[in-house]
Amino acid sequence: MRLLLVEDDGALADELQPVLEAAGYAVDRAGDGEDALYLGQTEDYDLVVLDLGLPRLSGIQVLETWRGEGRSMPVLILTARDTWREKV
């Protein structure tokens, strides 16, 4: 299975990638919203792990663009946001 890991914190991405690979995923990485948007538009992913607080384009903007284009891959959101309204 192919997974896109979108995380601008390199240390966190470095920790997550081997865990995901050990679980059987082939992992591609993006460190900002523009790279994530491009990869999600040009590659077929079985799953995307998407940070919301990204440079260049926010994770919300990336996801809204993908959905607007009809891309329906499952997306797991990572966020440091802490209010109930932001999480929902």
Side-chain angles (χ1 to χ4, degrees):
M1 292 185 73
R2 194 156 180 212
L3 180 144
L4 175 59
L5 174 60
V6 184
E7 175 56 59
D8 63 321
D9 181 333
L12 178 56
D14 287 344
E15 288 183 39
L16 289 172
Q17 184 171 354
V19 173
L20 295 167
E21 289 173 339
Y25 291 99
V27 178
D28 292 338
R29 283 173 55 173
D32 65 60
E34 286 185 3
D35 289 344
L37 181 63
Y38 175 78
L39 286 170
Q41 290 171 324
T42 59
E43 303 293 334
D44 291 323
Y45 290 102
D46 298 298
L47 176 66
V48 177
V49 178
L50 180 65
D51 183 15
L52 293 183
L54 296 170
R56 299 171 73 187
L57 284 176
S58 75
I60 293 293
Q61 291 172 302
V62 171
L63 185 54
E64 286 175 341
T65 301
W66 286 339
R67 293 304 190 240
E69 295 171 347
R71 299 191 178 281
S72 61
M73 67 282 223
V75 176
L76 176 65
I77 300 291
L78 291 180
T79 184
R81 297 176 184 181
D82 60 357
T83 67
W84 178 85
R85 181 177 173 88
E86 290 175 318
K87 289 180 183 180
V88 172

